[in-house]
Amino acid sequence: MTMKRRTFIKAGAAITAASLAPAIVRAEEKVWRVGGSLPMTGPFATAGQLVAPALTDFTMMVNDAGGIGGKPMKIEVEDSGYVPKNALANFERALASGPLHGYFGDSTGFMELVGPSLTGDKAVMMMSTSFASSLADPAKRPYQFMAGPSYQDQVEILLKDISAKGGKTVALVYSDSEFGRDPIPHARNIAKQLGIKIVLEEVTKTAGADIESHVTKLAQANPEYAILQGYVTGVWPQLIGAARAFGLSTQFMGTFWGMEKVVADRVTEQAGPFLDGYQGVMPYRYFYDQKDAPYYQEVNAWKKAQNADFPGYIVTWALEAYINLLIWKKSMEITIEADKPITADNLMASMRSIRNWDTGGFFGSPVSLAEHKIGQGRVYKYSAETKLFTPVSDWITT
């Protein structure tokens, strides 16, 4: 069997020639189809463009190894522009083009929007970039899951770390978005339980925030720690830079989307070392931490075989795509081994059956998916000198 080895992503159009011919797609029943949406344009285009290669590479690696159950997989991704209704339209087109065995969504907004439609023959196992707390609900979200800790879990991990280090005061700074607001009520409860006082809650725009005003309020509250939630490439570095220029000694801490080395390195190169000492929670090991990560070693070797100049680093956002797809693949394999049809219900039941699974190094200990999430992570600190995030806590569970 000749397996397709390349995936093309083009704004506003399905990525393969076959997807332009529904009859051909429907005839290709011996291929496991995974659809997806990524923000190749729009406010989070950087993230989409960095995640896209991971989807292609994962597909090629699986097919090079013989596929899943002896059949190859194919991934088809369209640009969403980070607009939920665009992603929903992409999903509906993918469904109309033939059997769909999995789908990778681009946002919390899309996952919320598509949820009610996942019924009957429209039910599909849904992966995504989102860590929205609402997705970790097997009863209400039977076809959605997250490949890591929810945003609530991530902030809880940070608060537990703050408490362990003797911290008593914290500010919550978050974007005026569903993404930003998600963990705030939970953070209030956990802070109270830990005896940590929230001295400021500050809401900002997702982009173009009034940095001076926000930093002035931080200075007035003077917290020991400030947790930044709901940002990707913008706002959070500006807040930290302005706070340092103001002379604040507050320890800033971020969550997953504010913990990318490429972003921190770029800020350091362009604006100086003010991110030195910045900390935050990561669900996964960074890719350069390969000693206890055999899957990372496998990916690294494969990437170098494809390109001798591969620098040896994969962005954290792409790692999230890899582990999402690994969970989907594991669910496929369990279902196939049980000789059951590949349906959304069977795949999700297989996923929930995963217990004490060694992911090959993504996480610090074996994982279970019964609750549609993986509630563990650890705190890392950035060094402007080495340009590395290194762990400053043990793995913390929720």
Side-chain angles (χ1 to χ4, degrees):
M1 178 184 294
T2 300
M3 299 180 184
K4 295 184 178 179
R5 294 174 54 86
R6 298 187 67 191
T7 300
F8 300 92
I9 298 178
K10 182 179 179 182
I15 61 173
T16 63
S19 64
L20 299 177
I24 296 175
V25 173
R26 291 191 179 95
E28 198 174 358
E29 293 180 354
K30 293 187 177 182
V31 174
W32 306 122
R33 285 182 67 230
V34 177
S37 290
L38 285 175
M40 304 305 293
T41 58
F44 296 135
T46 299
Q49 291 163 11
L50 289 172
V51 169
L55 303 181
T56 303
D57 288 351
F58 182 90
T59 302
M60 293 174 66
M61 287 182 67
V62 167
N63 290 345
D64 284 351
I68 302 171
K71 299 179 184 180
M73 66 173 289
K74 179 176 65 173
I75 196 154
E76 305 168 8
V77 181
E78 294 185 83
D79 177 32
S80 68
Y82 203 73
V83 177
K85 66 178 182 180
N86 291 350
L88 182 61
N90 294 344
F91 172 67
E92 290 172 345
R93 277 194 296 273
L95 272 177
S97 296
L100 192 61
H101 306 103
Y103 197 85
F104 190 90
D106 68 339
S107 65
T108 297
F110 164 69
M111 294 294 272
E112 294 285 356
L113 188 61
V114 75
S117 69
L118 300 176
T119 59
D121 59 2
K122 292 186 176 181
V124 177
M125 184 176 186
M126 304 294 291
M127 302 162 271
S128 79
T129 61
S130 177
F131 290 108
S133 305
S134 61
L135 302 185
D137 189 335
K140 295 181 180 179
R141 306 290 182 128
Y143 304 109
Q144 300 177 328
F145 73 96
M146 66 187 70
S150 69
Y151 294 128
Q152 289 185 3
D153 292 332
Q154 291 179 40
V155 173
E156 180 175 332
I157 288 168
L158 290 177
L159 288 168
K160 285 182 175 180
D161 184 66
I162 289 170
S163 178
K165 293 172 179 174
K168 296 297 182 183
T169 60
V170 66
L172 303 177
V173 182
Y174 53 98
S175 66
D176 188 15
S177 65
E178 191 168 27
F179 168 27
R181 293 185 294 270
D182 181 310
I184 303 306
H186 184 69
R188 296 181 189 125
N189 292 333
I190 296 299
K192 185 176 181 180
Q193 292 173 23
L194 295 172
I196 296 172
K197 184 177 181 180
I198 298 174
V199 295
L200 176 69
E201 288 191 24
E202 185 71 356
V203 184
T204 80
K205 294 180 179 179
T206 55
D210 185 353
I211 300 298
E212 182 177 351
S213 173
H214 298 311
V215 170
T216 298
K217 292 180 182 179
L218 273 170
Q220 292 169 345
N222 194 28
E224 296 170 270
Y225 293 85
I227 295 176
L228 309 177
Q229 164 65 18
Y231 307 103
V232 181
T233 58
V235 180
W236 70 266
Q238 297 169 295
L239 282 169
I240 298 173
R244 293 291 173 255
F246 199 87
L248 292 186
S249 60
T250 299
Q251 172 65 64
F252 287 92
M253 308 182 86
T255 55
F256 176 77
W257 288 97
M259 290 294 289
E260 174 46 49
K261 167 181 154 56
V262 168
V263 176
D265 290 351
R266 187 180 304 157
V267 169
T268 300
E269 291 167 2
Q270 295 177 352
F274 64 81
L275 291 183
D276 189 61
Y278 167 69
Q279 298 181 27
V281 61
M282 260 290 289
Y284 322 122
R285 286 183 172 89
Y286 282 86
F287 191 72
Y288 47 75
D289 183 10
Q290 295 184 12
K291 180 181 178 181
D292 297 314
Y295 184 76
Y296 285 18
Q297 295 170 20
E298 179 185 345
V299 173
N300 189 61
W302 186 87
K303 294 281 285 185
K304 284 186 177 295
Q306 299 292 313
N307 176 12
D309 296 326
F310 171 60
Y313 182 69
I314 292 176
V315 298
T316 57
W317 308 335
L319 291 179
E320 185 193 16
Y322 273 101
I323 185 60
N324 265 282
L325 287 163
L326 271 177
I327 291 169
W328 169 79
K329 178 174 177 284
K330 178 73 171 176
S331 303
M332 290 281 292
E333 291 168 343
I334 292 172
T335 305
I336 291 169
E337 288 170 8
D339 197 26
K340 294 181 178 179
I342 300 298
T343 65
D345 287 307
N346 286 341
L347 288 176
M348 295 304 292
S350 294
M351 188 199 76
R352 287 189 290 272
S353 76
I354 295 173
R355 298 286 192 281
N356 298 316
W357 175 43
D358 184 348
T359 59
F362 283 89
F363 299 92
S365 59
V367 305
S368 300
L369 273 297
E371 298 302 319
H372 290 203
K373 67 174 182 176
I374 301 168
Q376 63 172 282
R378 64 178 169 180
V379 180
Y380 286 78
K381 178 188 287 188
Y382 181 72
S383 167
E385 181 179 356
T386 65
K387 295 187 177 179
L388 296 175
F389 280 94
T390 55
V392 291
S393 81
D394 291 330
W395 291 91
I396 300 171
T397 60
T398 60

